Amino acid sequence: MAEDKDREEIMVAEFHKKIKEAFEVFDHELNNTVDVREIGTIIRSLGCCPSEGELQDLIAEVEEEEPTGYIRFEKFLPVMTKVLLERRYRPVPEDILLRAFEALDTAKRGFLTREELIKHMTEEGEPFSQEEMEEMLSAAIDPDSNSMNYKDYITMMVIDE
């Protein structure tokens, strides 16, 4: 039992260090606060992939009673530590991503055109924002073929544990 407790304390200490480092990148005023709009980027940089709804719930949990547009480190740290300990918002496994792209690629070509990708990402399910779409296109689309080889994209996208 004591060994488990020690292991958890070490994990918590490592998480605190990672969270602090990620938070500090966006703490431009060096006053232990970040713009609320940066929270999603910080959370994703820590290997978590919440949906837009989950992200809004997390923000609501760390925001002040009267929202200021800024998130304080003291409120963010315990919530984010709990998220990491519980391994919430894990990325989707590679094989499931591949099956999802293959389902969109009805012609079984191994790629999606830029137009197909935009259509699927903005008209289906939880649509991408303009900013998210531009970010994905800049990373995913091969400028020579104007398409996305999704196997290559998945390999690039998957976070190594």
Side-chain angles (χ1 to χ4, degrees):
M1 275 319 223
E3 198 175 291
D4 285 347
K5 190 166 171 26
D6 289 346
R7 191 174 310 125
E8 186 167 309
E9 282 175 13
I10 290 167
M11 276 177 68
V12 167
E14 284 175 13
F15 287 155
H16 281 189
K17 184 174 180 281
K18 280 183 178 170
I19 295 166
K20 186 167 180 48
E21 287 169 358
F23 195 90
E24 284 175 345
V25 170
F26 295 96
D27 182 5
H28 305 300
E29 306 292 317
L30 306 176
N31 63 358
N32 284 325
T33 65
V34 295
D35 187 305
V36 68
R37 293 169 297 192
E38 306 287 11
I39 289 296
T41 306
I42 295 169
I43 291 169
R44 286 187 280 277
S45 78
L46 292 164
C48 297
C49 300
S51 69
E52 199 50 44
E54 290 166 332
L55 179 59
Q56 293 312 315
D57 292 345
L58 263 175
I59 288 171
E61 209 176 324
V62 296
E63 237 174 355
E64 300 301 315
E65 299 300 318
E66 291 292 314
T68 59
Y70 290 91
I71 302 297
R72 288 184 16 249
F73 181 70
E74 305 81 68
K75 287 195 87 166
F76 183 70
L77 181 67
V79 173
M80 198 62 218
T81 302
K82 190 169 187 260
V83 164
L84 292 175
L85 279 172
E86 293 172 358
R87 299 179 61 78
R88 286 197 313 223
Y89 318 125
R90 301 306 303 152
V92 175
E94 204 168 334
D95 59 321
I96 293 174
L97 283 172
L98 181 60
R99 285 205 303 270
F101 279 117
E102 286 172 340
L104 299 176
D105 176 21
T106 51
K108 304 289 176 244
R109 301 166 303 191
F111 67 89
L112 294 170
T113 66
R114 178 189 183 92
E115 292 68 33
E116 289 169 328
L117 191 60
I118 291 171
K119 182 182 183 324
H120 292 304
M121 297 300 150
T122 59
E123 296 176 15
E124 309 290 329
E126 193 177 291
F128 273 35
S129 67
Q130 181 70 37
E131 191 180 331
E132 289 169 325
M133 199 63 244
E134 285 168 13
E135 217 173 281
M136 182 179 190
L137 291 172
S138 72
I141 297 294
D142 172 3
D144 297 332
S145 65
N146 207 24
S147 65
M148 165 191 160
N149 176 319
Y150 50 82
K151 284 183 181 143
D152 293 347
Y153 182 67
I154 291 168
T155 303
M156 177 186 79
M157 210 171 63
V158 172
I159 299 165
D160 293 324
E161 284 288 322

